[in-house]
Amino acid sequence: MQLPANFDDLISNVTDLNLYSKLVKQINKDFLLANIDLDFDEAILPSSLKFMLHEIVYKLIQEKFVEYLNLLYIVDVSEEKVKQLDGSDTLKLSEQVTFLILLREWQKVWYKNAYS
C-alpha cells in the first residue's frame, strides 16, 4: 500500500476504491470513542470533511488539549510523526495533524477492505 502524500491523493484513492462512506464511518466511530461529539453524514463532500476536521482539531489543540491527545491515541496517529511537526504555528499544525488523522483512518479502512 502506497500512502498518499496529500489530501487530494488520499481522496482520490478513497473514491477510486469506493470506500469514502467507510472512511466517514470510521472517522465517526473513532471520534465517538474519543468522546468528541461529532457525526458526519456519509454524503459529506471531501472538502467539507477536511475543513470541519481541521476546525475541530484546531479547537481541540487550543481549548481541550487532553481530548486532543486522547483523539490521537484512539485514532492511533504515530507519535513520531506528530513530534516531527513544527508546533510554532497552531493553525498549520492542526492542518498537518488533520491530514495524519485522515491518513490513519484511511489505512484502517483500506486494511479492513483488503483483508476481510
Side-chain angles (χ1 to χ4, degrees):
M1 171 185 184
Q2 172 109 16
L3 292 178
N6 58 43
F7 178 75
D8 293 331
D9 290 346
L10 186 141
I11 293 302
S12 176
N13 287 346
V14 171
T15 53
D16 287 348
L17 296 172
N18 294 321
L19 295 174
Y20 183 73
S21 67
K22 289 185 179 184
L23 175 67
V24 174
K25 284 180 187 177
Q26 183 67 46
I27 291 168
N28 286 339
K29 176 184 169 188
D30 285 345
F31 272 72
L32 182 62
L33 287 172
N35 291 324
I36 297 172
D37 188 25
L38 177 72
D39 189 26
F40 291 116
D41 185 77
E42 291 178 36
I44 189 171
L45 293 173
S47 57
S48 298
L49 176 69
K50 178 185 173 187
F51 175 77
M52 291 176 72
L53 277 176
H54 181 215
E55 186 177 310
I56 290 163
V57 169
Y58 180 77
K59 285 182 180 178
L60 288 173
I61 291 171
Q62 291 288 321
E63 301 168 8
K64 298 179 180 179
F65 197 73
V66 173
E67 285 87 348
Y68 161 73
L69 294 177
N70 188 44
L71 175 65
L72 294 182
Y73 177 78
I74 297 289
V75 173
D76 192 28
V77 174
S78 167
E79 187 178 339
E80 282 299 313
K81 289 182 181 179
V82 174
K83 285 182 178 179
Q84 292 172 0
L85 301 176
D86 178 17
S88 62
D89 181 359
T90 308
L91 189 61
K92 187 173 181 178
L93 173 68
S94 62
E95 182 179 355
Q96 293 167 334
V97 169
T98 299
F99 177 70
L100 291 177
I101 290 170
L102 284 168
L103 189 62
R104 182 63 186 120
E105 297 289 23
W106 163 234
Q107 287 175 310
K108 291 178 185 181
V109 169
W110 187 89
Y111 282 118
K112 284 178 188 173
N113 184 63
Y115 297 108
S116 62

